Amino acid sequence: MILNTYIEQSNNKTYANPIPNREFIMSLFDQVKKQLNRDQIAHKLSLNNADQKEALRRRLRAMERDGQLMFDQRKGYQLIDPRSLVTGAVSIHSDGFGFVSNPDLEKDLFVHKNQLNAVFDGDIVEVLVDARSDRHNSYNKLIRVVERKTTQIVGQLKRNGKQFYLIPDNRKISHKIDVDGHSLLNAETGQYVNTEIVDYPNYRNNTLVKITEVLGNAQDADMDIKLALCRHGISGEWNEALLDHADTLGIDVSDNDKASRVDYRHLPFVTIDGSDAKDFDDAVYCEKTVSGDWRLMVAIADVSHYVQPDDALDVEAQQRATSIYFPGHVVPMLPEALSNGLCSLNPNVDRLVMVCDMTINPQGVMTQSTFTEGLIHSHARLTYDQAYAVIAKQGSRLARKVNETTPDVVPHIENLHSLFGVLIAARKQRGAIDFETQEFKFNLTKKRKIASISPVNRNDAHRMIEEFMLCANVSTAKFLDHHKIPSLFRVHGGPQAKKLTLLRAFLLERGLSLGGAEKPTQSDYHQLLNSIGHRSDASVIRTQLLRSQSQAEYTADNQGHFGLAYDAYAHFTSPIRRYPDLLTHRAIRAKIRSAGSQKGTPQSGMQRALSWFGLSKRSGKSLSTKSYPYDKAAIAALALHCSEQSRQANDVSREVENGLKCQYMEQFKGESFVGTISGVTSFGFFVELDQGIAEGLVHISSLASEGLTFDAGKQQLSNGKVCYVLGDNIEVVLNKVDMKQQKMDFTVLASVNTEVA
């Protein structure tokens, strides 16, 4: 009866000997209410000959692959309840296990490493959830890969006899990778190569790849950067067509492009940047008005004039979304012909700019802001040290040189510094949080390896320019919000509840507290930061305060910026290296032109200006979809993309820096260092060396004889006699440097203050 029924119901025409369709097999499991192996299924379906059994085997495997059945080697097949399935992205740990995240879950699902043999980090997978699962004993079953996210693998080419294989550079890939011997591209064994996946792994075959690019030898200069970019699927090169397109724009601003611009060339704008900067996207000018107010002008390179929506350069810039910075190297968002040339505000040449012209009263409050399409001629390119010398070391050699070469800019630099003092006072009054941390500079050899690491000494010139950029960005956000333009805002939420609980426990152990109860304000953070400057553990406390904050991101909705204490904040000042800023420029230009234009009447330069703070009404005219083809949905998608690319850029930069640090520290194995405990976990604690050059782990296995217990609330490992606490000073020995894992292991030499009181 069963055999006749399934033959009648079978709609499969693939096999010579018909077998049941999927629905019938699933109904069989509904009837028996238990697990069945393949022989039992064949018996119940009266499948006797070898062809039928082979067809059944293939169908069962397909049903397993598609998440309809689950297979266990001991118990056989069972029906899967769709309600127990969760789809999400898998994050694989370097030790092989993984976690599957889904926004609807309170916590990520742990998946044992034996479930991940055919899965890559980032893949979208379907998991059968078992209520018994916990962090250490997972019964979660990976059912299938829904979507592959890894298409390329970078690694070192190896050979075993006639067979070639790849040792992946990505420590999260533990699969065996076979290399197609017909696609070697003349790569030599031992060289690093980039490859494209031809076949994904299954229970029978390894991953198969073909070589698409030969990167070079391990010791080659910038190999760390090449590997990091390839790991993340980022191109460090430009195709010839885009480079040619950029070159066609020329090296000088044309007379036609200067027309209808507000001409600011008579004003002594200056750029103030680091000594190694190559692209200059902001210039500043300041003067005191007769009314006692300040006029601050921030001119930003007008990239949007040259890079039009949806042209070839725009498509590539949008994909990249940001420039990526490494020690001694940059992967730009735009070709260098633009980023270092036509769009860079180099001294003594005409350049197109978008100008934010602000009026600031003696109390540091912005009372008016106007945006114009302008033309400037930078009067000087100053470094931070030169500008600081002018305002604080007037008798120094640097200050004298600036006075000799560009005397006309000196009074205006002094004006800039005077305004900075007013703005800093207003910043403190506003309660903005100042998480100023120590930065370090990598001094590189000719082969781009670290020769030494030195601290970056920030001065008032650094802070001054940053404050002026904040003013322009705030003015921009208010402009966009006032005119209701679909655009990107840079938002920063307040501290998260869970992190706040951990922070308060950490502070309590140190006799400190953070005001504001469940909703601390910026002033609460600011007050605490001001109270810890004298403490030896101040750096660690600042780090914990910073970690309690939410991560800044781009959104289509204005939600304010908690850390800076602004009601609205957007990015305007770096269109050369950030795509959101380029979008913002397009929005401002489109609004300026829609508000000022009249049919059949060309605009003059002075008409191409638009203000806010009630000095102009909102224009009822819609923006041109040609110059600004973005609605709210498009902006929301771009916000997500730009946020992801920004985080990825930070990850790539950090990976390269960690790799360089590991290479540098190898020479110091066996030597002792003094550091600070910067993190405590159940498996040990991290130590940041006082020189700021590295951070490594003291694994709990090296402290096994001490019988330590981990206390998450107190952030400590203790046995009642000895206690290792976050923020403690400690002397350690560099025991091991793992280049592949980019990790350093320390052992404790002496505890400076770890005895329990």
Side-chain angles (χ1 to χ4, degrees):
M1 178 64 183
I2 293 179
L3 182 60
N4 292 334
T5 302
Y6 86 69
I7 290 176
E8 290 173 5
Q9 292 183 357
S10 178
N11 56 13
N12 188 284
K13 305 297 183 183
T14 303
Y15 309 113
N17 295 283
I19 65 167
N21 61 21
R22 296 187 182 204
E23 289 74 16
F24 188 85
I25 294 175
M26 293 171 69
S27 70
L28 173 64
F29 280 94
D30 278 334
Q31 294 172 29
V32 299
K33 304 295 185 184
K34 65 178 183 179
Q35 292 171 303
L36 299 171
N37 62 36
R38 193 165 70 239
D39 289 339
Q40 290 171 327
I41 297 171
H43 177 72
K44 287 186 176 294
L45 298 177
S46 301
L47 300 179
N48 299 314
N49 68 55
D51 289 341
Q52 288 178 328
K53 289 183 177 181
E54 172 59 18
L56 175 65
R57 184 193 68 78
R58 284 187 280 168
R59 172 149 293 169
L60 292 174
R61 294 295 291 182
M63 294 178 71
E64 180 187 358
R65 179 198 65 211
D66 294 339
Q68 295 173 309
L69 295 177
M70 182 175 71
F71 177 73
D72 183 277
Q73 287 185 338
R74 292 179 298 171
K75 299 179 181 180
Y77 289 93
Q78 73 178 68
L79 199 62
I80 292 177
D81 183 353
R83 294 172 298 180
S84 299
L85 294 175
V86 170
T87 300
V90 63
S91 177
I92 299 178
H93 190 272
S94 56
D95 289 335
F97 60 82
F99 292 91
V100 175
S101 61
N102 182 292
D104 295 330
L105 297 176
E106 290 186 6
K107 62 179 182 178
D108 295 343
L109 299 174
F110 178 78
V111 181
H112 195 274
K113 64 181 179 181
N114 62 17
Q115 296 279 310
L116 300 172
N117 295 328
V119 179
F120 291 94
D121 184 62
D123 282 350
I124 307 301
V125 298
E126 194 170 57
V127 175
L128 179 64
V129 181
D130 192 302
R132 299 172 295 168
S133 295
D134 58 33
R135 169 63 179 81
H136 301 289
N137 297 294
S138 173
Y139 302 97
N140 296 323
K141 172 75 172 178
L142 190 138
I143 300 301
R144 66 188 179 106
V145 177
V146 177
E147 182 182 355
R148 294 287 188 181
K149 292 296 186 179
T150 297
T151 59
Q152 295 180 319
I153 303 175
V154 63
Q156 202 168 21
L157 181 65
K158 295 291 184 178
R159 183 173 184 172
N160 183 13
K162 294 183 179 181
Q163 302 299 315
F164 292 90
Y165 63 97
L166 191 75
I167 298 179
D169 175 67
N170 188 341
R171 59 188 180 272
K172 294 184 177 182
I173 299 177
S174 58
H175 311 150
K176 291 183 178 180
I177 311 294
D178 294 333
V179 177
D180 182 354
H182 297 94
S183 66
L184 297 179
L185 299 183
N186 296 319
E188 298 177 2
T189 301
Q191 288 188 313
Y192 279 100
V193 295
N194 197 17
T195 70
E196 179 182 315
I197 296 178
V198 177
D199 291 317
Y200 288 95
N202 54 44
Y203 69 100
R204 286 182 175 178
N205 301 311
N206 299 331
T207 302
L208 178 64
V209 300
K210 66 177 182 179
I211 296 175
T212 57
E213 180 183 8
V214 180
L215 301 177
N217 299 307
Q219 64 272 21
D220 290 350
D222 291 336
M223 182 53 67
D224 289 334
I225 294 174
K226 290 181 180 179
L227 293 176
L229 292 173
C230 288
R231 275 198 299 271
H232 291 269
I234 301 172
S235 173
E237 306 296 330
W238 291 88
N239 67 50
E240 291 299 324
L242 288 172
L243 293 177
D244 291 343
H245 180 27
D247 288 340
T248 61
L249 297 173
I251 59 175
D252 296 312
V253 179
S254 68
D255 291 338
N256 187 55
D257 286 343
K258 295 176 186 179
S260 299
R261 291 264 171 171
V262 181
D263 194 341
Y264 297 112
R265 287 177 290 183
H266 62 289
L267 296 178
F269 275 93
V270 297
T271 63
I272 304 176
D273 295 273
S275 58
D276 56 352
K278 294 181 180 179
D279 56 351
F280 311 110
D281 47 16
D282 58 84
V284 292
Y285 168 78
C286 178
E287 65 181 25
K288 193 83 175 280
T289 67
V290 293
S291 64
D293 292 333
W294 293 96
R295 183 190 187 190
L296 171 65
M297 302 180 72
V298 175
I300 305 298
D302 192 358
V303 178
S304 62
H305 177 84
Y306 299 104
V307 182
Q308 297 295 317
D310 297 325
D311 72 9
L313 286 172
D314 181 55
V315 170
E316 181 68 19
Q318 185 181 121
Q319 177 60 37
R320 296 183 180 221
T322 181
S323 296
I324 307 176
Y325 292 88
F326 305 102
H329 187 82
V330 61
V331 177
M333 185 183 78
L334 297 169
E336 289 189 4
L338 291 177
S339 61
N340 294 359
L342 189 57
C343 290
S344 183
L345 306 185
N346 300 321
N348 305 315
V349 293
D350 292 350
R351 286 291 183 258
L352 303 183
V353 289
M354 294 289 287
V355 177
C356 181
D357 188 347
M358 294 161 277
T359 301
I360 300 170
N361 69 18
Q363 291 73 45
V365 177
M366 198 183 307
T367 59
Q368 180 181 348
S369 178
T370 301
F371 288 91
T372 56
E373 297 178 75
L375 176 68
I376 70 165
H377 187 95
S378 175
H379 286 220
R381 177 269 198 266
L382 300 180
T383 66
Y384 290 121
D385 288 342
Q386 287 174 320
Y388 183 65
V390 169
I391 57 184
K393 301 178 180 180
Q394 295 182 353
S396 67
R397 180 181 59 82
L398 278 179
R400 290 197 302 270
K401 186 174 181 180
V402 174
N403 271 288
E404 291 170 2
T405 56
T406 53
D408 59 322
V409 306
V410 172
H412 302 288
I413 295 173
E414 293 169 346
N415 282 343
L416 289 167
H417 190 245
S418 296
L419 173 58
F420 168 66
V422 173
L423 292 174
I424 284 297
R427 179 189 179 96
K428 292 179 180 178
Q429 183 70 26
R430 194 173 72 247
I433 306 172
D434 189 1
F435 287 118
E436 186 157 321
T437 57
Q438 179 64 63
E439 296 179 14
F440 294 90
K441 179 183 179 181
F442 293 173
N443 305 303
L444 304 179
T445 66
K446 291 181 179 179
K447 293 185 177 181
R448 297 189 179 275
K449 307 300 181 183
I450 297 179
S452 62
I453 299 176
S454 57
V456 175
N457 297 316
R458 285 167 50 83
N459 54 47
D460 271 5
H462 293 83
R463 301 182 186 95
M464 179 174 74
I465 294 302
E466 287 176 2
E467 202 65 32
F468 299 154
M469 297 305 110
L470 291 178
C471 288
N473 286 338
V474 170
S475 181
T476 298
K478 290 183 179 294
F479 179 94
L480 298 172
D481 198 39
H482 175 78
H483 292 290
K484 302 303 177 186
I485 304 171
S487 48
L488 291 182
F489 291 91
R490 186 67 170 172
V491 304
H492 179 239
Q496 299 175 358
K498 183 178 180 180
K499 290 183 178 180
L500 195 57
T501 300
L502 293 175
L503 174 64
R504 292 194 184 282
F506 165 77
L507 294 173
L508 184 62
E509 288 295 312
R510 285 153 179 76
L512 299 170
S513 63
L514 176 68
E518 295 181 359
K519 291 187 177 182
T521 65
Q522 299 92 337
S523 296
D524 295 318
Y525 273 84
H526 188 70
Q527 184 176 354
L528 179 56
L529 284 167
N530 284 342
S531 71
I532 63 172
H534 64 287
R535 296 176 59 118
S536 61
D537 58 353
S539 176
V540 172
I541 295 172
R542 290 191 194 97
T543 299
Q544 295 305 306
L545 289 171
L546 181 59
R547 288 175 179 173
S548 71
Q549 301 288 299
S550 301
Q551 191 173 35
E553 61 183 357
Y554 295 105
T555 72
D557 300 308
N558 174 29
Q559 301 168 25
H561 198 292
F562 179 85
L564 295 173
Y566 289 132
D567 294 332
Y569 192 71
H571 276 162
F572 165 76
T573 55
S574 297
I576 286 178
R577 52 181 178 255
R578 288 191 307 231
Y579 196 76
D581 304 56
L582 176 56
L583 286 175
T584 297
H585 279 228
R586 287 174 181 161
I588 293 172
R589 167 177 284 106
K591 194 63 185 177
I592 289 174
R593 294 186 176 183
S594 69
S597 63
Q598 295 181 7
K599 189 173 183 180
T601 305
Q603 274 184 283
S604 69
M606 294 307 295
Q607 284 178 320
R608 287 194 172 178
L610 198 61
S611 306
W612 62 274
F613 286 102
L615 299 181
S616 68
K617 296 181 179 179
R618 294 177 186 166
S619 170
K621 296 185 178 181
S622 60
L623 304 185
S624 165
T625 56
K626 183 178 180 181
S627 60
Y628 196 69
Y630 312 103
D631 57 16
K632 194 70 176 284
I635 290 295
L638 284 167
L640 180 62
H641 172 70
C642 291
S643 294
E644 290 175 346
Q645 294 299 101
S646 177
R647 288 191 290 268
Q648 184 186 61
N650 290 335
D651 290 342
V652 176
S653 296
R654 185 165 52 249
E655 286 178 17
V656 171
E657 290 184 7
N658 288 341
L660 289 172
K661 287 180 179 180
C662 285
Q663 291 172 1
Y664 176 68
M665 291 298 291
E666 271 197 305
Q667 63 185 308
F668 301 115
K669 282 192 292 187
E671 296 189 21
S672 61
F673 299 87
V674 175
T676 303
I677 297 178
S678 56
V680 184
T681 73
S682 60
F683 54 83
F685 55 86
F686 292 91
V687 177
E688 182 178 349
L689 304 187
D690 283 357
Q691 296 92 331
I693 57 177
E695 183 180 59
L697 174 70
V698 175
H699 198 274
I700 198 167
S701 61
S702 69
L703 307 166
S705 61
E706 299 183 21
L708 300 170
T709 301
F710 174 57
D711 188 321
K714 295 181 179 181
Q715 286 289 283
Q716 68 179 33
L717 285 167
S718 175
N719 62 7
K721 295 181 180 179
V722 177
C723 186
Y724 300 99
V725 186
L726 186 69
D728 281 350
N729 297 321
I730 196 165
E731 191 173 1
V732 294
V733 174
L734 178 58
N735 185 47
K736 179 182 177 182
V737 177
D738 187 331
M739 294 301 303
K740 186 172 181 62
Q741 299 280 340
Q742 294 186 343
K743 294 179 180 178
M744 301 176 211
D745 288 343
F746 295 110
T747 52
V748 175
L749 181 64
S751 303
V752 180
N753 58 335
T754 57
E755 289 189 4
V756 177

